[in-house]
Amino acid sequence: MDVNLNFKSAAEAKKFSDTLKWPELKSAWILLGILAVVFILGFIFLPALVAFIEGGLLMVTGGISFALIYRAAKSERAGRLEKSELANILLGLDDALVVYDHDFNILFFNPAAENLFKTKSEDIVGQKFQPQDVGNESKKLLAQVIFSSLAPTVISRSRVGEYPQIVDISFTDPELELRVSTIPVRGELNELLGFMKIIRDRTREISLIKSKGEFLTVASHQLRTPVTDINWALQSLASDESLNENAKTIVETALTAGRNLFQVVEDLLDVAKIEEGHFGYKFEQVDIVQFINEVLGTVMPMSERAGIKIYFEKPKNDLPQPFIDRTKLSRALDNLIENSVRYNTENGEVIVRVEKVSDGPFLEISVKDTGIGIAPADIDNLFKKFYRASNAVKTQTEGTGLGLYIVKNIVQAHGGKIWVDSEPGRGSVFHFTIATDINSVPQHEMALEE
Ligand code: ADP
């Protein structure tokens, strides 16, 4: 204990003596020296009382001045320390960091950026970048990162005008996957000084996702043919009149399981294609009301069998014509409507609506049901792969839990988003948007991580 105390006071004494040696305090020492000289002269030449008052005033002035200079020195030192810590963090960052002013003159280039762009900081800092630099082999990659619209494949991950702006950029030769976050750098008066780009190299991560996807694709393809054959054989067996009741029930059960298995294989194949970025979208402009009518036509027989009524509330005014992939979007809408029928209650209803979004170039389509609803804890997980809520598993034993994951990805590929409003026992409303402006539709598919 004693030792500690001694150590503590010795350390404090050292700290105190170091503080007295700060170069920032030099002006304070000079001032104190001058005050001391004035004080001594006062004592020699002035009457005792005046000298005494003068001495007091000089002490107060000296004390206040010293305290003010010490405070300023301390905050300057803290600022310097903060700056050097920040510089060390930026230099040690795993992600590449490039800072440039509003004229695209490079101001900062960290070692990770040197590695990624294969250029030394001293060769690049101070250089001005222009879109034409995309034609210059040594500047091409950085120019495509700075002017990302010039990169071969770009997918925006953030809304227009929202910061950080996040884009995923892919290059094929050589293979490179970058996630670029752009943040504006502002001065004290909030004036724009330039931009900071943080660039994460995701090439390895994406290649792992792709190889996982390739495995899934091959495995699903291999399963598809035997499952189809088995289902075909079971179907022929089920229609055999000579089977007794017991055998018929067994065959029917096997056939249902076979169909479910076939759906799993199909869904897995789609998931693999989506995650590899090879689902293959072909966009065309359509009349959305006509399109929804067509989808409803395909699900009607299933809803009639289930005794669920479907209503389509058409908009009063004409709607803008969105750009969609007919096959993919009908798959998504079909899935939502089938769910609203499957997870409905007896004699339930489904209402499909379409309307224009008031604050953007989007249409909103919603599917409302009077079904079992969804618990708040399940809502966050519904769009994840294989997730099925416990109330749904009880009422509908069949299901892959892949449908909504596929739907979400299809909606996102149409520049939209999907969400659900629901309460257990009080029905659900699934909403999704699709872009009516082709510029809001991602131009290329990309491999994705969940
Ligand atoms: P599946 O229907 O094959 O289980 P989905 O991905 O389509 O897979 O749906 C995931 C889960 O979301 C369902 O298992 C169910 O729990 C819930 N769900 C989807 N649609 C509805 C709905 N209309 N009402 C209640 N729950 C729903």
Side-chain angles (χ1 to χ4, degrees):
M1 181 88 156
D2 271 1
V3 174
N4 267 349
L5 273 178
N6 286 339
F7 176 73
K8 201 177 159 200
S9 58
E12 267 167 12
K14 166 98 174 65
K15 198 172 152 199
F16 180 68
S17 76
D18 284 349
T19 307
L20 296 182
K21 288 181 205 148
W22 286 359
E24 294 86 351
L25 290 183
K26 204 169 154 189
S27 53
W29 293 125
I30 293 172
L31 181 73
L32 285 184
I34 294 170
L35 292 179
V37 171
V38 175
F39 178 71
I40 294 164
L41 290 177
F43 256 90
I44 297 171
F45 296 111
L46 293 175
L49 181 64
V50 179
F52 190 71
I53 295 170
E54 182 228 31
L57 286 174
L58 286 177
M59 269 171 70
V60 172
T61 315
I64 293 174
S65 307
F66 192 88
L68 289 176
I69 294 172
Y70 171 74
R71 250 177 57 183
K74 202 172 157 187
S75 83
E76 195 193 319
R77 286 191 150 237
R80 274 214 305 271
L81 192 70
E82 224 169 71
K83 269 189 200 156
S84 78
E85 269 174 10
L86 184 65
N88 282 337
I89 292 171
L90 299 182
L91 289 172
L93 217 60
D94 281 345
D95 292 342
L97 183 80
V98 179
V99 183
Y100 51 90
D101 67 13
H102 46 60
D103 282 330
F104 300 97
N105 294 302
I106 306 293
L107 303 174
F108 184 81
F109 208 69
N110 75 346
E114 291 184 334
N115 268 342
L116 180 63
F117 296 103
K118 306 199 170 30
T119 315
K120 284 264 150 239
S121 166
E122 56 261 33
D123 298 334
I124 208 92
V125 169
Q127 281 206 40
K128 184 183 171 82
F129 270 72
Q130 300 173 5
Q132 297 89 289
D133 290 324
V134 170
N136 175 340
E137 210 41 52
S138 65
K139 288 175 145 188
K140 188 174 173 181
L141 184 59
L142 183 53
Q144 282 173 316
V145 166
I146 292 177
F147 308 106
S148 55
S149 59
L150 303 176
T153 308
V154 186
I155 289 193
S156 179
R157 301 283 181 198
S158 51
R159 286 176 180 271
V160 180
E162 180 185 276
Y163 284 103
Q165 275 286 305
I166 301 172
V167 288
D168 285 341
I169 310 183
S170 320
F171 302 86
T172 41
D173 192 18
E175 195 100 2
L176 197 58
E177 301 278 351
L178 304 178
R179 172 158 291 178
V180 183
S181 308
T182 307
I183 304 157
V185 180
R186 296 192 179 277
E188 278 174 15
L189 301 171
N190 203 31
E191 74 282 18
L192 183 68
L193 300 177
F195 291 93
M196 173 155 88
K197 280 196 190 285
I198 300 166
I199 306 132
R200 169 159 298 182
D201 184 352
R202 302 161 71 233
T203 314
R204 203 179 127 65
E205 196 182 319
I206 297 293
S207 113
L208 284 175
I209 293 167
K210 279 188 180 161
S211 58
K212 190 184 88 183
E214 271 157 25
F215 169 77
L216 212 57
T217 311
V218 174
S220 315
H221 258 303
Q222 297 289 347
L223 281 171
R224 208 189 205 178
T225 317
V227 170
T228 312
D229 290 350
I230 292 168
N231 283 355
W232 186 82
L234 287 171
Q235 211 155 355
S236 320
L237 206 56
S239 54
D240 185 345
E241 298 292 326
S242 64
L243 285 184
N244 64 33
E245 275 313 301
N246 196 17
K248 232 183 175 115
T249 314
I250 293 171
V251 173
E252 289 291 347
T253 311
L255 190 56
T256 309
R259 284 193 186 124
N260 205 16
L261 181 59
F262 184 76
Q263 192 55 50
V264 176
V265 172
E266 288 290 291
D267 283 355
L268 276 177
L269 210 50
D270 285 346
V271 166
K273 285 187 208 153
I274 286 171
E275 292 186 349
E276 277 178 67
H278 292 148
F279 207 24
Y281 288 90
K282 289 192 186 75
F283 289 95
E284 57 181 301
Q285 208 166 12
V286 299
D287 176 333
I288 194 70
V289 172
Q290 197 183 331
F291 168 78
I292 294 176
N293 266 326
E294 284 166 23
V295 177
L296 288 176
T298 62
V299 287
M300 263 332 163
M302 178 249 184
S303 69
E304 274 165 14
R305 274 198 305 276
I308 306 290
K309 288 207 164 53
I310 303 185
Y311 301 97
F312 179 21
E313 282 188 3
K314 292 180 189 148
K316 293 187 183 63
N317 300 323
D318 281 351
L319 292 174
Q321 301 199 336
F323 291 85
I324 67 163
D325 177 315
R326 276 177 177 279
T327 321
K328 305 286 189 293
L329 201 66
S330 63
R331 161 118 208 241
L333 186 55
D334 189 279
N335 201 308
L336 293 178
I337 301 175
E338 278 196 13
N339 279 354
S340 70
V341 170
R342 290 172 62 222
Y343 301 115
N344 219 314
T345 42
E346 225 182 307
N347 301 320
E349 284 181 0
V350 173
I351 301 172
V352 180
R353 278 198 191 99
V354 57
E355 58 199 329
K356 194 178 168 326
V357 172
S358 58
D359 61 349
F362 296 94
L363 292 178
E364 181 180 322
I365 298 170
S366 60
V367 180
K368 179 178 179 181
D369 65 52
T370 49
I372 58 171
I374 304 158
D378 292 319
I379 286 188
D380 293 339
N381 297 311
L382 282 194
F383 299 97
K384 292 183 182 159
K385 272 182 284 189
F386 301 110
Y387 193 85
R388 303 198 71 212
S390 51
N391 62 343
V393 175
K394 268 186 223 143
T395 55
Q396 285 287 334
T397 44
E398 284 164 35
T400 63
L402 289 170
L404 288 182
Y405 177 77
I406 296 170
V407 174
K408 180 187 80 179
N409 282 289
I410 294 176
V411 168
Q412 285 174 347
H414 283 77
K417 55 182 184 159
I418 183 163
W419 69 102
V420 58
D421 294 319
S422 184
E423 266 181 60
R426 309 195 64 167
S428 310
V429 193
F430 281 81
H431 309 259
F432 71 91
T433 53
I434 48 171
T436 52
D437 173 0
I438 192 72
N439 294 319
S440 302
V441 176
Q443 306 203 335
H444 303 275
E445 272 190 83
M446 277 185 113
L448 47 99
E449 72 278 45
E450 200 180 340

